[in-house]
Amino acid sequence: MFSRIRELCKSTLCKSTKKFLTQQKGGIAIMTGLTILSLVILFGLAIDTARVAYVETKLAHAVSAAAIAGAKYKTEDAAANVQKVFDANFPPGIQGTARVNPTMTITENGDRVRISAQTTMPTAFGKIIGIDTLPVRSVAEGLRELGGLEIAMVFDVSGLTGFREIIPNMQTAAKNFVDIIYQSDKVTNGRAVSITPYGGVVNVGNSHTSWVHNVVSPDAPFIVSSFPTGEPWQGCVANRKDPLEESEAPPTVERWPVHYARSTVYPAIDGGTWPPMHNGKWDNDWSVDSNGDVIQETTIRDGPGANGYVTIGPNRSCPPAILPLTADPVAIKNYIDNQIFTVYGSGTFSNLGMGWGWRTISPNFDGLWTGGAPIKAYDAPNNLKVLIILLNDGNRWLDGPFPQQGDPTAYGRLEDGKLGTTNLNFTKYEIEVRTEELCNKIKAQGVFIYTVSLMVDDLATRELYGRCASDPTAYHNINGADELEGAYENIAEDILLRVRRTI
């Protein structure tokens, strides 16, 4: 500040005032008046100097933010985004300054972007001594280089996404997210994304037969060979014993039972003893013909007013298989287009989705996913692991128009009591307890969690997702599917900020 004042006091008026005051001539009254005038001038100059310091701080912040934007976007998009970000942080009119157009320079090899900006600030008191404006300038550089990124995207694809026609918005938001994450002139090495669709069960892929029990037992009443030849096991798994289901323990520690939805035809073909009811129509009526093909005996919708039909059979409720960590953005977007769809006849078990999303980026599963990219250690340098989970509406067990009570899920049916209760309302509480337990375990490993709740009315569920997020700003509660794209864009931007190095 004092250097600014000294600079301003190089003016003729300051020098004349100083010279006059040193002369031992004139009346006391004149000297007193000029002394007061000098003090007023110095006080005014101090105010102008403080204003300049404030403008310099704002300008430096805007230039730094613009450098991040310039480093993040492709060359052809960088200039427009630099200006947009700069204007957001340094709008025209700050302390009387005009609109500033920052200058962007990218180095020849494309590794570094330099942002410079300068303007002038009109003085309030400096005009008294002939100084109308003061210069302000700032410079920042950003490295056009991302650190490593491993991102697990987890999507609720249960029947409610069909009721509300959410899937198209979900696909658009997810593909836009991928475009932002991969938007760079640099080679895309070091970035990989996995996608885990979930409902009441999760599909690990039917190539992973070594992950599931291969001997019939009380804990695994059905195995891969139990499925009809015409409808083999698709890859969905049931739950492991507590506490293994809420862990990243690999199958070498404990295998999973296969998910097998028993037939409700009476008499059941697979050992069931369902009593006849409603003219023998239940919610998973299937049989097998002489060729081993599954015959759907009863066709049902997923509840009154549902947009789609339940897929009846031993793989009932099974969603698309997980996409393991994949570095190729084209392959990721193709998966989103073709493998993200509503699974009717399924509940919403966010603990299952979160658990399997975690396993796609857990080093305990490195080399286990078929065709997946290598998974780095938690403490790998310059690498960020991220998990993003979307919940639509809330955790619940959707009931179809026919018995049994509750859809077949990874925990069997509601009356099986594998969640410690046979009360439909209590299952929601138990799922949320397990989800929070998983959140804490995942965050303890250094994974950054973003959570998105879509049209969730339940306050307890929203609070859970808020606690689950690694940061209050990492939780997004949105009220409509049309807001998904904006939420995922914000998440993508935030992820890039966390791995982008700015100097």
Side-chain angles (χ1 to χ4, degrees):
M1 175 187 289
F2 293 108
S3 63
R4 289 280 189 185
I5 294 175
R6 284 196 297 270
E7 179 184 343
L8 291 171
C9 276
K10 292 177 182 178
S11 67
T12 303
L13 180 56
C14 269
K15 291 180 178 179
S16 298
T17 302
K18 181 178 180 181
K19 181 178 179 181
F20 182 83
L21 290 175
T22 57
Q23 294 177 350
Q24 297 181 358
K25 297 178 180 180
I28 295 300
I30 295 175
M31 293 180 63
T32 302
L34 289 174
T35 301
I36 293 173
L37 176 60
S38 297
L39 292 174
V40 169
I41 291 172
L42 290 173
F43 178 73
L45 296 179
I47 292 176
D48 277 340
T49 302
R51 290 173 59 229
V52 168
Y54 170 74
V55 174
E56 282 181 333
T57 300
K58 294 289 289 184
L59 186 67
H61 178 75
V63 166
S64 295
I68 294 173
K72 182 169 56 178
Y73 289 96
K74 291 181 178 180
T75 301
E76 61 267 27
D77 300 325
N81 284 286
V82 162
Q83 186 70 60
K84 185 171 86 171
V85 171
F86 182 87
D87 287 343
N89 290 277
F90 195 85
I94 293 179
Q95 295 295 326
T97 59
R99 187 175 191 267
V100 179
N101 296 311
T103 300
M104 181 185 72
T105 305
I106 297 177
T107 55
E108 186 175 348
N109 63 6
D111 285 340
R112 192 181 298 263
V113 61
R114 177 185 176 91
I115 305 295
S116 61
Q118 60 183 21
T119 186
T120 56
M121 186 203 78
T123 61
F125 294 91
K127 294 181 177 64
I128 300 173
I129 56 176
I131 299 177
D132 295 329
T133 60
L134 291 172
V136 184
R137 59 182 62 88
S138 185
V139 176
E141 290 187 348
L143 295 178
R144 292 172 62 79
E145 176 185 358
L146 277 173
L149 270 175
E150 296 174 328
I151 303 174
M153 301 181 74
V154 182
F155 291 106
D156 173 6
V157 295
S158 63
L160 282 172
T161 59
F163 273 84
R164 292 172 168 171
E165 300 180 347
I166 290 169
I167 293 296
N169 299 86
M170 192 183 295
Q171 291 172 322
T172 299
K175 288 188 293 184
N176 185 51
F177 173 91
V178 172
D179 285 338
I180 295 173
I181 290 297
Y182 281 87
Q183 192 171 37
S184 171
D185 291 333
K186 303 297 290 178
V187 177
T188 57
N189 290 341
R191 276 164 281 177
V193 174
S194 71
I195 300 179
T196 301
Y198 77 97
V201 67
V202 174
N203 187 338
V204 300
N206 59 12
S207 63
H208 295 121
T209 54
S210 63
W211 293 13
V212 297
H213 290 286
N214 55 14
V215 177
V216 173
S217 68
D219 294 327
F222 299 96
I223 57 178
V224 170
S225 61
S226 303
F227 286 76
T229 56
E231 189 175 328
W233 178 60
Q234 290 181 0
C236 280
V237 294
N239 69 300
R240 294 191 293 189
K241 294 179 181 178
D242 292 336
L244 288 174
E245 193 57 46
E246 281 68 50
S247 78
E248 58 178 328
T252 51
V253 174
E254 175 65 32
R255 297 184 182 192
W256 281 266
V258 298
H259 168 67
Y260 182 99
R262 291 168 52 187
S263 172
T264 50
V265 168
Y266 179 79
I269 65 167
D270 50 14
T273 57
W274 309 112
M277 188 174 183
H278 296 290
N279 297 321
K281 293 182 178 181
W282 288 63
D283 70 354
N284 197 38
D285 290 347
W286 58 273
S287 59
V288 180
D289 64 16
S290 59
N291 296 320
D293 294 326
V294 168
I295 306 300
Q296 294 190 14
E297 302 284 353
T298 303
T299 302
I300 63 172
R301 289 183 179 271
D302 190 20
N307 294 332
Y309 289 88
V310 174
T311 301
I312 302 299
N315 289 295
R316 187 185 192 275
S317 306
C318 190
I322 289 173
L323 176 72
L325 272 181
T326 302
D328 181 3
V330 175
I332 298 168
K333 291 196 288 185
N334 285 339
Y335 176 93
I336 293 168
D337 279 332
N338 298 302
Q339 297 298 318
I340 298 294
F341 51 79
T342 298
V343 179
Y344 292 101
S346 178
T348 308
F349 287 66
S350 51
N351 62 312
L352 296 175
M354 179 164 284
W356 278 108
W358 180 19
R359 294 171 195 126
T360 65
I361 56 175
S362 166
N364 290 353
F365 280 74
D366 182 35
L368 298 184
W369 289 102
T370 303
I375 303 174
K376 298 178 182 179
Y378 287 120
D379 58 355
N382 197 28
N383 185 65
L384 176 66
K385 291 180 184 282
V386 173
L387 187 147
I388 311 164
I389 183 168
L390 167 69
L391 171 69
N392 171 39
D393 188 82
N395 298 306
R396 56 182 296 186
W397 230 312
L398 286 175
D399 292 328
F402 302 117
Q404 288 285 332
Q405 183 185 14
D407 297 317
T409 71
Y411 294 94
R413 291 182 182 269
L414 180 61
E415 59 266 27
D416 295 332
K418 290 186 178 180
L419 281 168
T421 178
T422 56
N423 182 291
L424 186 61
N425 293 325
F426 290 165
T427 61
K428 174 180 177 295
Y429 172 76
E430 184 61 29
I431 293 167
E432 291 184 346
V433 167
R434 294 175 185 231
T435 299
E436 185 157 18
E437 180 182 349
L438 270 166
C439 288
N440 293 333
K441 289 180 178 179
I442 296 170
K443 287 187 289 188
Q445 295 287 14
V447 178
F448 196 93
I449 297 180
Y450 295 87
T451 56
V452 182
S453 55
L454 172 60
M455 291 183 276
V456 173
D457 297 326
D458 183 71
L459 178 59
T461 302
R462 293 202 303 267
E463 290 177 344
L464 164 67
Y465 265 54
R467 293 193 302 272
C468 182
S470 293
D471 185 271
T473 62
Y475 169 52
H476 298 261
N477 180 54
I478 55 181
N479 298 315
D482 59 338
E483 299 177 35
L484 277 173
E485 186 172 356
Y488 275 83
E489 180 176 339
N490 289 338
I491 291 172
E493 300 279 359
D494 192 66
I495 290 172
L496 292 182
L497 288 175
R498 292 182 187 279
V499 297
R500 183 76 61 188
R501 291 184 292 135
T502 302
I503 59 174

